[in-house]
């Protein structure tokens, strides 16, 4: 406030100069590093072979429609599982946050559930549920005959555990005084949770939640082991039939088309959260 | 910036690509069997045999049906036993002039001198194997077999059309998927599994109605793996394995055995032997 105007102008000019120099250095170093890598790869003796087997435009064009049709299955599965996970995980997190002694067994179950589901590889859970539940012989026919249901259930269980922990971190991050204040103004425990703590907690954990979404969007491909022809499997089939791996590239592109925009949304949400908390945001 | 991102993507993908390429280097192409069309001196007296005067034929121990019935190749019962005697006859040998020996599968096509004149043991003709041994022209090309649970509504299927409504499962990367899509063209999208264990698991669990593999595998699965399953039948599909008789590398006998097999094929005798022994196990599924 009491800084002289010319000194402030000089400081800002210096800052701008510094920023300009920074972008020039970034550009040059990008060109050198990436260009060097690209040249190394393109000039390697196997490049032509790699280009033919991985970057064949004809194969890409032929396989893309089938892979896209398979990817649609991934997207649908992702959306349904995600909705289920968001609800279930909040439930598990709330159970773990309860304090009543009578609820101890429920808390214990919730804890064991998250520990086990987070500790086991997703592919194993998909396998065990996808082939194990039908083997019991008690599941109804509709559940057994469409692998999408069991695959979806397996993914939902795994991701519920991850997301419940994210929610719980959010709940814990709300200062205890918030709860105390809510109780002081006459809200019940449940009302305090519902109207004061959960809204603040959820707001805080949006970036990590989106992060888990991205992870789930990729992991839906694991359901392929149960037989449905989703994007990865379709790519695998067409790669196996003509010994060309380009279809995998088509599948990878489709996954990226969903995950990269999601990643940018996470970035923006995180920046917003930092701004809200009064930090300066570096761009 | 987007340009840089794209090049990053390209670089990363290329790196993965290189690794994947190195990891996927093997392939086993089926090479055409050894065929020599020079003037043949296949007179019985002129043949270079392991034991002069008798034809020494090898198979595995134990040998399984339907290739050899009751593990007794001398009976002439079973597909490969019958083929062996038919070849012997073409070459001018009587049944009494055929001796059988037992040779484990892996050593049949290993390089080196052989104790047999030829070997019949469901050996697929492959380029890699031809480096160590000769093959006759194929006496059998494996078709696809359809296996269902014994209590399945598809257990009584007699035509490919009967299987149109079945949920079919196959293993990824096999020719069975193409065969099913082209020949059966099922109404439900075929389920594709990582390996044959998963395919079998899905059949046992009732997650699929039918599984399709090459016929020898179907026979094995029915007899040894999936209890109470029914092999409803077989159908022709491109890409099956060719089985040939194995002979010593550069054997003078190879062109003679090939000529015998070709002659059996041309006369239709090979087809009727195949129908008698393998067709009895797996009837040919009619197109309509």
């Amino acid at each position: 406030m009491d800084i002289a105007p010319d000194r402030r102008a000089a400081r800002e000019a210096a800052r701008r100069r510094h920023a300009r120099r920074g972008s020039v250095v970034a550009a040059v170093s990008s060109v050198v590093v990436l260009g060097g890598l690209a040249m190394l790869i393109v000039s390697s003796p196997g490049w032509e072979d790699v280009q033919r087997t991985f970057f064949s435009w004809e194969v890409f064009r032929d396989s893309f429609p089938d892979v896209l049709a398979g990817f649609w299955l991934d997207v649908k599965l992702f959306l349904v599982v995600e909705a289920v996970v968001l609800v279930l995980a909040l439930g598990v997190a709330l159970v773990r946050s309860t304090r009543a002694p009578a609820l101890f067994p429920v808390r214990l179950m919730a804890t064991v559930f998250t520990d086990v589901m987070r500790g086991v590889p997703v592919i194993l859970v998909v396998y065990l549920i996808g082939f194990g539940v039908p083997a019991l012989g008690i599941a109804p026919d509709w559940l057994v005959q469409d692998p999408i249901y069991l695959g979806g259930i397996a993914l939902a269980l795994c991701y519920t555990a991850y997301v419940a922990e994210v929610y719980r971190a959010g709940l814990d991050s709300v200062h205890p005084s918030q709860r105390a204040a809510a109780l002081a103004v006459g809200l019940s425990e449940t009302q305090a949770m519902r109207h004061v703590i959960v809204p603040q907690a959820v707001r805080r954990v949006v970036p990590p939640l989106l992060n888990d979404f991205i992870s789930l969007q990729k992991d839906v491909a694991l359901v392929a082991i149960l037989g449905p022809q989703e994007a990865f499997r379709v790519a695998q089939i067409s790669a196996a039939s003509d010994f060309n791996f380009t279809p995998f590239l088509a599948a990878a592109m489709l996954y990226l088309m969903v995950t990269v925009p999601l990643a940018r949304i996470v970035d923006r949400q995180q920046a917003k959260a930092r701004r809200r908390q009064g930090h300066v945001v570096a761009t | 910036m987007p340009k840089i991102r794209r090049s990053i993507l390209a670089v990363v993908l290329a790196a993965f690509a290189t690794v994947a390429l190195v990891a996927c280097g093997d392939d086993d192409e089926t090479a055409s069997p050894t065929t020599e069309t020079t003037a043949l001196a296949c007179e019985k007296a002129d043949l270079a045999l392991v034991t002069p005067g008798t034809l020494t034929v090898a198979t595995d121990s134990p040998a399984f049906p339907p290739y050899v019935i009751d593990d007794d190749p001398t009976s002439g019962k079973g597909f490969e036993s019958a083929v062996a005697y038919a070849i012997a006859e073409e070459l001018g040998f009587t049944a009494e002039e055929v001796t059988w020996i037992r040779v484990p599968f892996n050593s049949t096509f290993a390089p080196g001198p052989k104790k047999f004149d030829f070997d019949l043991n469901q050996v697929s003709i492959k380029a890699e194997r031809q480096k160590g041994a000769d093959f006759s022209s194929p006496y059998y090309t494996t078709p696809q077999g359809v296996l269902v649970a014994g209590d399945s509504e598809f257990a009584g299927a007699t035509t490919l059309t009967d299987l149109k409504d079945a949920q079919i499962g196959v293993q990824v990367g096999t020719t069975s998927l193409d065969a099913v899509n082209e020949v059966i063209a099922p109404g439900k999208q075929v389920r594709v599994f990582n390996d044959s264990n998963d395919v079998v698991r899905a059949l046992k669990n009732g997650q699929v109605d039918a599984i399709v593999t090459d016929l020898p595998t179907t026979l094995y699965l029915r007899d040894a793996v999936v209890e109470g399953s029914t092999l409803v039948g077989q159908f022709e599909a491109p890409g099956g394995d060719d089985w040939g008789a194995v002979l010593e590398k550069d054997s003078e006998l190879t062109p003679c055995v090939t000529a015998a097999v070709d002659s059996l094929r041309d006369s239709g005798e090979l087809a009727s032997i195949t129908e008698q022994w393998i067709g009895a196990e797996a009837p040919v599924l009619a197109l309509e």
Side-chain angles (χ1 to χ4, degrees), chain A residues 35-54:
Chain A
L37 267 176
M39 267 175 61
L40 186 73
I41 288 166
V42 172
S43 64
S44 65
W47 170 243
E48 248 177 57
D49 200 26
V50 168
Q51 195 176 25
R52 193 167 38 75
T53 35
F54 288 86

Side-chain angles (χ1 to χ4, degrees), chain B:
Chain B
M1 257 333 195
K3 216 172 209 165
I4 289 179
R5 282 204 190 119
R6 228 175 295 143
S7 25
I8 294 176
L9 177 62
V11 168
V12 171
L13 290 173
F16 276 125
T18 319
V19 173
L21 187 71
V22 170
C24 303
D26 70 315
D27 60 343
D28 38 20
E29 281 166 32
T30 305
S32 54
T34 317
T35 43
E36 285 170 32
T37 45
T38 45
L40 301 174
C42 292
E43 289 304 316
K44 183 182 166 190
D46 301 338
L47 295 175
L49 300 171
V50 172
T51 311
T54 50
L55 193 61
T56 311
V57 184
T59 192
D60 207 346
S61 178
F64 292 101
Y67 312 113
V68 173
I69 306 294
D70 295 332
D71 195 19
D72 177 17
T74 59
S75 65
K77 288 182 178 160
F79 175 61
E80 288 185 331
S81 177
V83 168
Y85 282 106
I87 292 174
E89 199 186 323
E90 283 291 319
L91 293 173
F93 292 87
T94 62
E96 289 73 36
E97 289 170 322
V98 176
T99 336
W100 288 87
I101 60 163
R102 303 302 184 113
V103 174
F105 177 81
N106 283 322
S107 54
T108 52
F109 50 85
K114 309 280 186 230
K115 288 179 290 183
F116 51 79
D117 293 319
F118 67 84
D119 170 282
L120 296 181
N121 192 10
Q122 306 123 56
V123 184
S124 299
I125 302 170
K126 293 187 178 182
E128 195 59 33
R129 292 173 178 173
Q130 284 177 321
K131 288 178 189 162
D134 274 2
F135 283 89
S136 73
S137 67
Y139 58 90
Y140 187 61
T141 302
T142 57
Q144 298 291 317
V146 182
L147 193 69
V148 303
D151 54 1
S152 160
E153 55 174 308
F154 299 100
T158 53
T159 69
L160 291 169
T161 319
D162 292 343
L163 294 167
K164 265 207 175 350
D165 294 330
Q167 176 63 66
I168 295 173
V170 301
Q171 184 186 345
V172 70
T174 60
T175 50
S176 302
L177 178 61
D178 288 337
V180 169
N181 282 334
E182 280 165 30
V183 182
I184 300 180
K188 294 176 188 166
Q189 192 180 52
V190 179
R191 298 266 158 75
V192 183
F193 297 90
N194 278 358
D195 56 38
S196 59
N197 285 339
D198 289 355
V199 180
V200 167
R201 186 76 256 167
L203 180 69
K204 283 181 173 172
N205 283 350
Q207 290 167 290
V208 295
D209 298 315
I211 63 177
V212 175
T213 55
D214 61 272
L215 186 59
T217 308
T218 325
L219 285 165
Y220 167 74
L221 291 178
R222 182 197 61 180
D223 295 337
V225 183
V226 193
E227 212 172 296
S229 58
T230 304
L231 206 174
V232 295
Q234 57 167 301
F235 61 97
E236 280 302 327
D241 273 346
D242 286 329
W243 293 355
V246 184
L247 299 97
E248 194 170 306
K249 182 74 184 161
D250 300 325
S251 165
E252 289 169 26
L253 203 58
T254 306
C256 299
V257 174
T258 288
V261 170
D262 290 346
S263 150
L264 289 170
R265 192 184 308 110
D266 293 343
S267 70
E269 196 179 342
L270 193 54
S272 71
I273 293 173
T274 310
E275 174 54 33
Q276 184 186 354
W277 296 108
I278 296 184
E281 299 279 335
V284 175
L285 292 165
L287 272 168
E288 193 43 62

